[in-house]
Amino acid sequence: MAEKENFTEKRSTRRNFLKNSGLTLGGLVLGGAVTSLVVKNNEGTTTTEHEAAHGGGTTTNYNHALMFFTPAEYQTAAAAVERIYPEDENGPGAKELGAAVYIDHQLAGQWGNNVKDYRLGAFYKPGENQGPQTKLLRKDLFRAGLEALDAYSKENYDAVFTGLEPEQQDEVLTAFSEGKVTLYGNTGSGEFFSLLRTMTIEGVYADPMYGGNNEMKGWAMRKYPGSRMQYVNEIQSDEFIELKPEGLSSHMS
Amino acid sequence: MVTKLDKAQVVVVGMGWAGGIVSAELTKAGINVVGLERGKDRTTADYTMAHDELRYQHRTELMQDLSKETITYRSSLKQKALPMRHYGTFIVGDGVGGAGSHWNGQTYRFLPYDFEIRSQTVDRYGEGKIPGWMTLQDWGITYDELEPYYEKFEYMAGISGEEVELWGKRAKPYPTGPLVKTPIMKTFEEAATSLGYKPFVIPAANLSESYTNPDGIQRGACQYCAYCENFGCEYGAKGDPAVTVIPVAKQTGKLDLRTHANVLEITSANGKATGVLYVDMLTGEKFEQPADVVVITSYVFNNARLLLNSNLGTPYDPKTGKGTIGKNYCYQVTGGTTQLFFEDKEFNLYGGAGALGIEIAEYMGDNFDHSDVNFIHGAGIRSTQYGDRPIATNRVPKGTPNWGAEFKKQSIKYANSNFPVKTQGASMPHRENYLDLDPEYKDAWGYPLLRMTYEYTDNDRELVKFMATKTREIGEKIGADIIETSEEQGNFSVNKDTNTHNTGGVIMGSDPETSALNKYQQMWEVENVFVVGASSFPHNSCFNPTGTVGALSYLAAEGIQNYIKNGGGLLV
Ligand SMILES: Cc1cc2nc3c(=O)[nH]c(=O)nc-3n(C[C@H](O)[C@H](O)[C@H](O)COP(=O)(O)OP(=O)(O)OC[C@H]3O[C@@H](n4cnc5c(N)ncnc54)[C@H](O)[C@@H]3O)c2cc1C
Ligand code: SF4
């Protein structure tokens, strides 16, 4: 036990050190971020504070770039995730939290390519309790879904999805969630919607190293402390103890 | 091309709790063991980045890679089975430590009633209590016979717990005292006590204090870090084969542990196994490993599948009820939950441990009179605190949509202000719930997948309805601003998260006509094959399975030593 406590102690000391060294670099960081903001232009998901606070030492959030989506697809995805998890009095929505960047990165990797799924044999229409049997890879399903969002929006509202009012976007997403639209390859829109919904929640609450949950604000909104090492005291306390979130980067030695 | 290797005394297939215990006991007794494990080797160093909800829980980092093999599922004999293409319900372990690395650690013994369930039901309620479809049978062993082996498991793994009056007698107390009680556990305790129940803290493989086990393995106390279920413990505070039995076996110098070794078949001649055929998962190279004794500890699914794919034992036929391999596959019921939401209370729900919780025993097994209910067995009623992680846990009052503004608002509002009163109920065998080989789907090496035919039984559904009234009663006593009870057990779904308490398929008993194994987990039909795991359970009780798997593993290890000493033959 004593040994464990030491271990924890050492870790938090190391974390403090990291934090402090981050602070020392603060001035430099800020300078860099301002420059990058001037060079950049689009959509206000990145701010100077955000850039400065990110990953002590870097000047830009290098993670904020696309591996899979086209810029237009990214905009549609960002609009859609924002309706799944909108900005409100609690704090930022999924768009500002970077959920669409998160989804882009995930779709480019092994999750998007269904690397760990069983893909052999024939794909039949499943019975109610047999789980999805979709031949489309997640990345293709997602892309087909984004395309269909635009097609459906144009047909019903005469504009692409990003051009709709939030209430209209909600109507479109509701239709998708109810499986009312058919996507590429005869796939039901419900499958796309459930992937969108799941990945949005992941993008809001997964560790920021994955590209979403910007500055751990997703965690902060629900007073979730992230990936701290232990809660021996908190667990026994009758009072709620709010702790500042920490991410996995604090576990690096 | 298959490389033939030198003969081993014993080959063990799968390095989870069952394989780890058998390997440690045999090597300590001086027997040479070849351990084959399809996954990678693991130590606590693998868990430095363990607090990653996405990677470990939602991307199932530590679990079997389904692209190589999965199961197929159908709800009845009439349906066509389809493959479980990604994880939804149970999750299957992989790598050294198996599911014992990422389990919660709730460590129970089954009730004396469980082992003699058929005889005791008949004695107390008459034959008529058991419906025709229920292939209920005694285990061929009593609680008293198994008691010393439970103790061995609990002392090795370091189980923290307290005495429970309504359970079987213990010769010795738990090696360490119970985990702490959190505010939600105290709330449950108060309500349950005032209703006349005697709540207890769930016995845990998360250590309540530092502990040195009889093998000399030292481990520190649980830090309530909340990354336990689905995660490995970076502190070694969770009982895990990779920090207990496997290092002990390695230390003897008698364990030849080969990882990435996926066993495809048990080879045999003249009614005896001759060894196993395995493939290196990384290179694709195939090897034949001859052995005197073959021990199958590859979890419920592959325990049954390896026997079926190797033509060992007699496959179960649901039409005739004859045969044993694949018989009495059972699961567990978790319906009947009462969910509580609070307006002005906040709990530190971000903290927790895999086995942290409080429970009552009054409705377990035959602890209450079943004369006037139309089911047998029962459930534990409990509130737990595993640590609510934000991707997985977003409980909202009924009627809240599962996305959009209202969802966000409510899920944040109640994130730290809710908890459920839950059940974990027994699962009785049904003649048509069973395992066999899928006629169509194959694994990455061309071997048939295991096919599961399963649906919850009438017994399960009646049990859940009854338990829902009890969780409601406790929920109301606790008092909350919103109290919601789900009254029914829905249908089984291969895509809905419940639990990984699969049992049966290679069951033990006292009669070779109705069981595959004797009590030493030795196959009646193939005397040099021992099959250890929850696959041995003729039915599933209202507890997590691993305490009983551990006890049976110690018993099997003793049986194997005797088998070797005797120079063969069926053990009695
Ligand atoms: C998330 C989770 C939480 C759980 N919580 C609890 C709990 O709180 N309490 C409890 O009692 N139980 C719990 N369980 C169940 C518990 O983990 C299992 O009962 C237990 O670990 C089973 O041990 P085992 O040795 O039989 O199988 P496993 O631990 O699954 O080990 C089998 C090993 O065999 C290997 N293998 C399989 N096939 C082959 C092959 N063909 N060739 C070579 N190797 C092979 C696998 O890779 C694996 O390492 C939980 C399970 C999960 C998944
Ligand atoms: S909750 Fe305890 S036992 Fe579980 S992983 Fe954390 S420290 Fe280990």
Side-chain angles (χ1 to χ4, degrees):
Chain A
M1 176 89 191
E3 208 183 314
K4 293 297 162 194
E5 274 166 0
N6 277 339
F7 175 60
T8 316
E9 194 107 292
K10 241 194 279 160
R11 279 188 175 274
S12 23
T13 323
R14 190 167 54 235
R15 271 201 300 270
N16 284 336
F17 167 74
L18 280 178
K19 240 191 273 162
N20 291 338
S21 60
L23 277 178
T24 331
L25 288 169
L28 288 176
V29 169
L30 198 62
V34 172
T35 330
S36 80
L37 199 71
V38 176
V39 178
K40 272 187 173 167
N41 54 1
N42 50 8
E43 31 98 17
T45 57
T46 49
T47 63
T48 31
E49 300 95 87
H50 157 218
E51 305 256 299
H54 236 270
T58 46
T59 50
T60 318
N61 180 0
Y62 292 106
N63 209 258
H64 197 94
L66 301 178
M67 301 177 187
F68 175 72
F69 290 141
T70 63
E73 284 168 343
Y74 168 74
Q75 295 299 343
T76 310
V81 299
E82 182 65 14
R83 295 320 303 155
I84 302 290
Y85 191 96
E87 182 177 352
D88 65 3
E89 62 273 20
N90 288 299
K95 181 175 174 178
E96 186 184 333
L97 290 168
V101 173
Y102 162 84
I103 292 174
D104 172 79
H105 292 8
Q106 286 288 308
L107 292 177
Q110 65 168 17
W111 177 248
N113 287 282
N114 300 54
V115 168
K116 284 175 75 179
D117 286 2
Y118 183 78
R119 303 278 303 158
L120 304 172
F123 286 74
Y124 298 97
K125 199 170 151 25
E128 214 183 306
N129 295 336
Q130 294 182 301
Q133 302 285 327
T134 316
K135 179 102 194 218
L136 289 187
L137 295 173
R138 287 188 190 92
K139 63 178 183 186
D140 297 323
L141 174 61
F142 208 95
R143 183 159 267 157
L146 293 178
E147 247 170 56
L149 282 179
D150 272 348
Y152 184 89
S153 303
K154 275 192 226 155
E155 198 178 307
N156 292 279
Y157 304 90
D158 250 356
V160 292
F161 186 75
T162 50
L164 305 185
E165 294 303 317
E167 296 71 35
Q168 294 173 320
Q169 290 177 332
D170 285 353
E171 285 167 18
V172 173
L173 289 170
T174 303
F176 272 64
S177 74
E178 289 165 354
K180 289 194 175 139
V181 185
T182 304
L183 314 183
Y184 183 87
N186 220 10
T187 313
S189 60
E191 299 212 14
F192 161 68
F193 181 84
S194 106
L195 186 61
L196 168 69
R197 191 259 172 203
T198 304
M199 294 191 83
T200 303
I201 301 304
E202 289 172 357
V204 165
Y205 293 132
D207 191 275
M209 79 169 170
Y210 291 104
N213 190 10
N214 253 340
E215 293 173 54
M216 301 183 279
K217 281 187 186 159
W219 287 341
M221 271 187 280
R222 56 192 289 153
K223 302 179 195 160
Y224 186 71
S227 56
R228 282 171 174 260
M229 292 300 289
Q230 54 95 5
Y231 300 113
V232 177
N233 295 325
E234 291 80 2
I235 193 111
Q236 297 175 74
S237 159
D238 285 323
E239 300 303 314
F240 186 77
I241 302 174
E242 192 171 345
L243 299 167
K244 208 170 156 289
E246 282 179 13
L248 282 167
S249 65
S250 67
H251 298 237
M252 289 291 282
S253 43
Chain B
M1 258 205 325
V2 178
T3 308
K4 191 159 179 175
L5 303 165
D6 291 340
K7 191 171 183 183
Q9 221 175 343
V10 177
V11 64
V12 176
V13 180
M15 281 288 149
W17 272 129
I21 290 168
V22 168
S23 301
E25 291 304 292
L26 297 184
T27 53
K28 282 195 286 181
I31 296 165
N32 288 306
V33 171
V34 170
L36 301 176
E37 166 55 50
R38 67 179 171 190
K40 77 186 277 286
D41 202 358
R42 276 205 296 255
T43 66
T44 48
D46 287 275
Y47 308 140
T48 318
M49 288 285 153
H51 294 196
D52 183 343
E53 181 185 1
L54 184 72
R55 175 178 173 192
Y56 289 97
Q57 184 165 1
H58 304 284
R59 300 294 181 262
T60 54
E61 171 87 10
L62 301 174
M63 319 303 175
Q64 168 180 301
D65 178 354
L66 295 185
S67 73
K68 302 288 191 293
E69 66 176 281
T70 183
I71 57 138
T72 69
Y73 168 74
R74 58 178 182 169
S75 65
S76 73
L77 295 172
K78 292 189 287 275
Q79 203 180 22
K80 178 180 174 56
L82 296 181
M84 176 173 85
R85 294 198 179 271
H86 61 94
Y87 284 113
T89 163
F90 27 77
I91 33 196
V92 184
D94 188 78
V96 170
S101 295
H102 53 72
W103 69 319
N104 292 51
Q106 301 169 18
T107 313
Y108 299 88
R109 299 175 172 199
F110 280 14
L111 300 164
Y113 159 78
D114 280 309
F115 301 98
E116 299 168 272
I117 191 167
R118 180 163 197 109
S119 337
Q120 289 198 13
T121 303
V122 171
D123 282 353
R124 192 160 173 193
Y125 306 105
E127 284 280 351
K129 189 76 181 170
I130 305 170
W133 51 260
M134 195 188 283
T135 45
L136 192 68
Q137 53 194 68
D138 291 349
W139 288 41
I141 194 170
T142 62
Y143 172 82
D144 290 342
E145 281 176 87
L146 201 54
E147 203 280 338
Y149 303 93
Y150 272 121
E151 184 183 295
K152 276 193 182 178
F153 180 71
E154 289 165 354
Y155 274 71
M156 177 276 295
I159 305 307
S160 302
E162 57 186 344
E163 198 89 19
V164 179
E165 248 174 63
L166 288 168
W167 288 352
K169 278 213 177 53
R170 317 172 47 89
K172 279 207 231 166
Y174 286 100
T176 52
L179 294 173
V180 300
K181 283 180 197 154
T182 69
I184 67 168
M185 289 162 71
K186 287 183 187 155
T187 309
F188 178 104
E189 180 177 42
E190 216 171 281
T193 308
S194 76
L195 290 166
Y197 303 124
K198 295 203 181 86
F200 61 89
V201 176
I202 292 174
N206 320 123
L207 279 175
S208 62
E209 57 189 84
S210 61
Y211 175 67
T212 305
N213 81 4
D215 293 315
I217 297 279
Q218 273 184 343
R219 290 158 46 216
C222 172
Q223 306 292 307
Y224 303 95
C225 82
Y227 285 81
C228 204
E229 173 180 42
N230 293 302
F231 306 83
C233 180
E234 70 270 42
Y235 296 103
K238 172 159 68 177
D240 169 348
V243 299
T244 52
V245 285
I246 289 163
V248 167
K250 279 181 178 167
Q251 211 173 20
T252 63
K254 296 201 162 283
L255 173 67
D256 177 356
L257 174 60
R258 298 181 205 148
T259 50
H260 308 296
N262 185 48
V263 174
L264 302 171
E265 263 182 65
I266 304 157
T267 54
S268 64
N270 310 320
K272 272 197 175 183
T274 53
V276 299
L277 176 73
Y278 72 90
V279 60
D280 183 311
M281 295 279 275
L282 305 185
T283 64
E285 248 182 303
K286 282 187 182 163
F287 299 91
E288 191 185 330
Q289 176 60 66
D292 290 330
V293 179
V294 175
V295 187
I296 306 298
T297 51
S298 59
Y299 193 61
V300 174
F301 298 139
N302 271 350
N303 285 358
R305 189 164 85 103
L306 278 170
L307 296 180
L308 291 167
N309 272 333
S310 311
N311 292 314
L312 294 183
T314 311
Y316 173 69
D317 180 347
K319 299 230 164 65
T320 61
K322 297 256 183 333
T324 56
I325 310 302
K327 184 180 173 181
N328 281 23
Y329 171 75
C330 292
Y331 192 45
Q332 214 152 46
V333 289
T334 49
T337 298
T338 291
Q339 175 64 43
L340 309 176
F341 294 98
F342 304 88
E343 293 299 322
D344 52 5
K345 278 191 198 148
E346 273 186 306
F347 307 101
N348 294 308
L349 296 179
Y350 52 76
L356 186 60
I358 190 157
E359 188 169 23
I360 59 166
E362 279 79 0
Y363 298 108
M364 290 173 171
D366 209 25
N367 286 348
F368 61 108
D369 184 13
H370 287 68
S371 305
D372 297 328
V373 296
N374 46 2
F375 62 90
I376 60 167
H377 218 304
I381 295 178
R382 43 177 19 207
S383 282
T384 55
Q385 187 165 353
Y386 305 156
D388 287 352
R389 290 176 293 275
I391 300 173
T393 311
N394 283 290
R395 298 195 194 98
V396 287
K398 273 192 191 129
T400 311
N402 84 341
W403 62 279
E406 190 59 16
F407 170 75
K408 181 184 176 193
K409 192 170 138 211
Q410 298 291 352
S411 60
I412 289 178
K413 174 174 175 189
Y414 290 112
N416 303 296
S417 304
N418 84 86
F419 70 91
V421 178
K422 305 183 286 186
T423 69
Q424 176 161 264
S427 165
M428 293 304 110
H430 189 290
R431 192 182 159 126
E432 294 184 357
N433 283 341
Y434 77 112
L435 306 171
D436 69 350
L437 292 177
D438 192 274
E440 179 170 336
Y441 291 95
K442 307 266 193 292
D443 70 14
W445 298 275
Y447 288 84
L449 294 182
L450 191 71
R451 173 170 69 177
M452 173 190 295
T453 306
Y454 184 76
E455 187 49 271
Y456 293 121
T457 66
D458 291 344
N459 194 82
D460 298 339
R461 295 180 201 271
E462 291 303 319
L463 184 156
V464 165
K465 271 191 224 157
F466 177 89
M467 295 304 160
T469 66
K470 304 299 172 192
T471 63
R472 182 84 198 180
E473 182 190 25
I474 294 175
E476 281 176 355
K477 194 80 195 173
I478 291 170
D481 297 291
I482 304 173
I483 304 181
E484 294 171 351
T485 304
S486 72
E487 271 141 33
E488 310 238 326
Q489 180 69 49
N491 288 337
F492 179 81
S493 165
V494 82
N495 199 38
K496 210 169 84 193
D497 178 59
T498 42
N499 74 29
T500 305
H501 300 162
N502 318 85
T503 63
V506 193
I507 64 177
M508 61 192 285
S510 51
D511 179 358
E513 288 295 311
T514 57
S515 60
L517 311 172
N518 64 22
K519 68 181 170 195
Y520 294 101
Q521 317 296 295
Q522 179 184 31
M523 277 185 84
W524 292 116
E525 294 185 57
V526 196
E527 64 169 52
N528 66 338
V529 175
F530 292 74
V531 187
V532 195
S535 44
S536 308
F537 302 0
H539 72 272
N540 200 8
S541 188
C542 53
F543 303 104
N544 309 57
T546 310
T548 302
V549 172
L552 292 175
S553 305
Y554 277 101
L555 180 59
E558 194 177 292
I560 296 162
Q561 288 175 58
N562 288 334
Y563 178 78
I564 292 170
K565 229 179 279 163
N566 300 346
L570 278 175
L571 296 159
V572 278

